[in-house]
Amino acid sequence: MVQSSFIHEEKVRSEWVDYNGHMNDAAYAKVFSQAADSFIDFLGLNETARSRYNYTIFTLETHLCYLKEVHEHEELTIEFRLLDSDAKRLHTFLTMTNSAGELAATSEQMWMGIDTVKGKAAPFPQVIGEAIEALRTLHKELPIPKQAGRKIGF
């Protein structure tokens, strides 16, 4: 049984801080990417499973919203949300909160399951698909986050 939420914790490293004195925009993407990797392991698709199933997950699209500056040594919490899924794709939403519990950034992402032997999209292995469906069921009643589905524009 999959837990209802997944949390990834990180601390702002000094090499991520830019000339403005806060975490650089690329570092936000890095933290979200590391959280995504941890979440994929959480689903059961760790290094051993990726090798056994000849299967992995690629990121197809990402939309980051920078909402609050974070600074060196600040504690960050990244929480995962599954907005939607099908047999081989995941529509995910990650939130980053700072040590005060304030929303600092969000990352909406589309992921695709990949058969690594054929090098193309493929349905999730059964056990992974079952974990995804259990999580989808838990998350489907949650309200849609304000930043989800946004487009860039004026």
Side-chain angles (χ1 to χ4, degrees):
M1 179 72 178
V2 171
Q3 298 170 348
S4 63
S5 65
F6 170 79
I7 303 291
H8 177 85
E9 295 177 327
E10 190 63 69
K11 189 180 229 179
V12 179
R13 300 175 191 174
S14 58
E15 63 266 23
W16 295 347
V17 176
D18 65 16
Y19 52 84
N20 292 313
H22 58 251
M23 192 162 79
N24 178 274
D25 59 340
Y28 284 81
K30 181 178 187 70
V31 171
F32 280 125
S33 180
Q34 291 170 335
D37 287 346
S38 294
F39 177 75
I40 290 167
D41 287 351
F42 167 82
L43 279 179
L45 200 56
N46 60 22
E47 184 177 353
T48 302
R50 289 190 300 271
S51 178
R52 178 180 23 194
Y53 298 126
N54 296 311
Y55 196 86
T56 194
I57 295 177
F58 286 179
T59 303
L60 300 178
E61 184 175 347
T62 298
H63 187 167
L64 284 158
C65 291
Y66 306 96
L67 305 170
K68 193 166 222 33
E69 294 177 8
V70 294
H71 300 93
E72 187 174 357
H73 306 302
E74 193 163 359
E75 299 287 337
L76 304 174
T77 301
I78 293 77
E79 189 165 356
F80 170 87
R81 167 105 180 264
L82 183 61
L83 296 178
D84 204 1
S85 64
D86 65 16
K88 53 189 168 185
R89 292 178 298 183
L90 298 172
H91 181 189
T92 64
F93 193 84
L94 295 87
T95 57
M96 177 187 294
T97 53
N98 62 19
S99 50
E102 301 166 314
L103 186 61
T106 63
S107 180
E108 185 173 5
Q109 302 181 11
M110 182 64 71
W111 300 347
M112 176 71 76
I114 303 291
D115 178 317
T116 58
V117 172
K118 295 178 182 176
K120 64 181 199 172
F124 297 107
Q126 182 177 347
V127 68
I128 305 305
E130 290 169 358
I132 290 167
E133 186 54 37
L135 193 60
R136 185 171 181 238
T137 298
L138 289 169
H139 289 189
K140 73 180 178 181
E141 298 302 322
L142 297 173
I144 300 298
K146 176 182 175 182
Q147 292 80 15
R150 290 178 60 171
K151 67 176 188 160
I152 296 176
F154 296 104

